[in-house]
Amino acid sequence: MPKLSDEEIKELYRLMVQTRVFDEKAWKLQRQGRIGTYAPIKGQEASDIGTSFVLSKNDWIFPTYRNMGAYITRGMPLEKLLQYWSGDERGQKIPENLNIFTLAIPVGTQPLHAVGLAWAAKKQKKDVVVLTYMGEAATSTGDFHEAMNFAGVFNLPVIFVVENNQYAISVPRSKQTKSETIAQKAIAYGFNGIQVDGNDIFAVIKATKDAIEKSKQNNGPSLVECVTYRLGHHTTADDYNIYRTEEEVQLWSQKDPIERLRRFMENKKLWTKEFGDKTFKEAEENMEKAIVAMESLSKPKPDEFFDYVFANQTNSIKMQREYLLKYLDEKEKEIRFP
Amino acid sequence: MSQMNMVQSINQALAQEMERDQNVLVLGEDVGVDGGVFRVTEGLLQKFGEERVIDTPLSESGIVGTSIGMAVYGLKPVVEIQFSGFIYSAFEQLISHASRIRNRSRGRFTCPLVVRTPCSWVSRGLEHHEESTEALFIHTPGLKVVMPSNPYDAKGLLISSIRDPDPVIFFEPLRLYRAFKQEVPDEIYTIPIGEANVVKEGTDITLISYGAMMSSVLEADEILKGNNINSEVINLRTLSPLDKDTILKSVKKTGKCVVVHEAPLTCGLGAEISAIINEKALLNLEAPVIRITGFDTVVPLAKLENNYIPDVRRIVTETKNLMKF
Ligand SMILES: Cc1ncc(C[n+]2csc(CCOP(=O)(O)OP(=O)(O)O)c2C)c(N)n1
């Protein structure tokens, strides 16, 4: 059991509930056409939140599309997350004071960036640990192995967190790798890999803390495999009934990480029904506020997507932008005065 | 004949070719149990079994690289890359090997594989899920590049691609998958690779396009007709090798040409078409060849998506302007 104060344990519970509320509401918003495709994290909250919770403010995370729990734990405003999922790229502009990298959609590509940032931090003698998230299928990519190798060779302060949620869309873990565990892959690269129960937030925290400690003492990288389960569909475009049974989902529902933490807290007299209700209510209020905030944002200006092609606008980009604006203007006039 | 959408016609093409030729196999992420994330390979696992319909680990480079080995050794892999925006880790395998094995081995080894992959803009897509990167492949010697624009073409072109002795990148415009149905013959037929289709004959101007933009071009053509502009419409079907003869024949007749694609402007296929016309039909031209394309930017997400993709109005306006040249 890692050392955690009662307040910290309550905070963990609050973060997990907030993430669950965000997740379930985001799903509904997609169904109502208010945001686009969304990838739920339901069931993986302990892995996501436990790993991020123990980082210091100057540490970094490199997330994927599924790490809303990590984002929330590190303080990303909920409305920014919603803004992104609604198809407004300004939502991915991470606030300056948060060390979170933009999320990677191409699977397995971001661990290399995490390794690079850790390398830079080491060269600059900064006290920084970098944590990169991925699903188990990312470990099938070449980039993942290159990242592991570089991290090992240059002894870098990186933690590879693999949320092994048993499926890559429809492809089960058994078809992804013949390795008995994901954790053992680290051995080949000369550093520690540990497999933990990813639905036990304390196990996750202990493993991550150990990895951070090790990195801080210049002992290099670690891999933490969190064995967990995606309780929802892969995304709002997926139907898990095609590739797995409801019984299997039910079985894993009984290991719901939030319920597990709740029971622990109840035993320790840290959880009362009143506290639970209040936590949910607050999480829902936060979410409602975020939705209002997201939906009252003004639309990006029509040519906003030209702004960040380069630092300095090239002549060609300038001409194309002017063309678009002129075209839109004429189009609007035509519609107004047909 | 049956009414089919593009998902169904591609599915039928795959099933019929697998039936006909034991060496054809399908592999990729989620192509088996799931039937593909767009259900294009639905039912194939049940029909042909796990040896021929293979759910692979997540690795585009792995899928394409091993398919090269299989193709060299007598099999006909039909690879599915889940989105063309995820093909890049396989780029090295395609560019450095698949496209060159025939040349490098002076014909001793060949690489007849097909890479099927959804492409093009789709409403409310995520980043990397709405890319039009055909030019990267067109630019590579030794790769053929095909992009159908309707269910009928998709079936005939895919069958030809599977039978082709060289590697073919078969782009499937995502927004056409279920956009409309069409009469498609139930029997096997082929549409030759390397030949464009003159969809409609005309005399005033040549409109050239391919893939999902064909629908917009045809819609624009209807409006232009109402404006007394009689355009000739060409559907390229194959992007590499390009059917220069059909393009030149048409432009020599009409003297004007508009190329429409949603891929970015710079070094897009439109540039190549314009160059060919300049080289071979300059004196027939009555106006410059113009391109109506996407911009040289990342495809914006939902909030600004309509500002990126060339719309019907833009095709009509630009064509009318060109007629006045
Ligand atoms: C390189 C690449 N190939 C394919 C995809 C499409 N895709 C998105 S998620 C996914 C499965 C990923 O599984 P895993 O890495 O285990 O993470 P999970 O989604 O389960 O969290 C696939 C195939 C992608 N995003 N990137």
Side-chain angles (χ1 to χ4, degrees), chain B residues 234-302:
Chain B
I234 296 178
N235 175 0
L236 290 176
R237 285 179 167 165
T238 300
L239 313 186
S240 179
L242 199 56
D243 182 355
K244 299 186 174 84
D245 292 347
T246 300
I247 295 170
L248 289 171
K249 193 170 153 226
S250 176
V251 175
K252 282 180 181 167
K253 178 171 67 173
T254 62
K256 297 190 183 73
C257 181
V258 175
V259 188
V260 182
H261 58 64
E262 59 186 279
L265 175 76
T266 300
C267 288
L269 188 54
E272 178 63 22
I273 292 172
S274 177
I276 290 167
I277 295 170
N278 272 312
E279 284 164 8
K280 303 283 185 201
L282 182 67
L283 298 180
N284 301 89
L285 281 181
E286 296 158 14
V289 177
I290 64 158
R291 295 169 287 170
I292 302 176
T293 71
F295 298 107
D296 292 340
T297 67
V298 175
V299 184
L301 299 187

Side-chain angles (χ1 to χ4, degrees), chain B residues 183-254:
Chain B
E183 287 285 318
V184 176
D186 287 311
E187 53 276 9
I188 289 185
Y189 61 93
T190 57
I191 294 176
I193 289 178
E195 286 181 25
N197 184 23
V198 180
V199 185
K200 191 202 130 211
E201 294 196 16
T203 48
D204 296 341
I205 188 163
T206 303
L207 306 181
I208 301 178
S209 192
Y210 56 89
M213 284 313 294
M214 266 330 289
S215 302
S216 306
V217 169
L218 290 170
E219 224 181 291
D221 175 55
E222 282 300 315
I223 300 171
L224 291 167
K225 218 186 286 175
N227 286 270
N228 286 325
I229 297 171
N230 178 16
S231 18
E232 178 144 305
V233 183
I234 296 178
N235 175 0
L236 290 176
R237 285 179 167 165
T238 300
L239 313 186
S240 179
L242 199 56
D243 182 355
K244 299 186 174 84
D245 292 347
T246 300
I247 295 170
L248 289 171
K249 193 170 153 226
S250 176
V251 175
K252 282 180 181 167
K253 178 171 67 173
T254 62

Side-chain angles (χ1 to χ4, degrees), chain A residues 33 86-87 89 105-106 140-141 168-171 176 242 299 301-302 305-306 317 320 323-324 327 331 334, chain B residues 30 33-34 39 55 57-59 82 124 128-129 265 295-297 301-304 307 311 313-314 318:
Chain A
S86 77
E89 281 134 298
I105 292 179
S140 301
T141 67
I169 310 187
S170 72
V171 180
Q176 205 59 244
I242 295 175
K299 239 184 116 160
K301 62 185 166 85
F305 62 104
F306 285 93
I317 290 290
Q320 292 182 37
Y323 171 88
L324 173 71
Y327 176 72
K331 188 165 147 184
E334 187 182 288
Chain B
D30 306 287
V33 176
D34 206 35
R39 310 288 174 249
D55 275 328
L58 196 156
S59 166
Q82 205 162 82
R124 316 198 79 176
H128 315 290
H129 291 70
L265 175 76
F295 298 107
D296 292 340
T297 67
L301 299 187
K303 295 288 176 196
L304 296 178
N307 295 355
D311 58 7
R313 186 190 172 279
R314 201 170 133 199
E318 294 284 10

Side-chain angles (χ1 to χ4, degrees), chain A residues 65-66 105-107 135-138 165 167-169 230 234, chain B residues 29-30 58 60 82 86:
Chain A
Y65 49 83
R66 204 183 296 290
I105 292 179
V107 168
E136 78 286 356
N165 67 4
Y167 288 91
I169 310 187
R230 156 166 65 75
H234 170 71
Chain B
E29 294 154 14
D30 306 287
L58 196 156
E60 284 70 18
Q82 205 162 82
F86 300 135

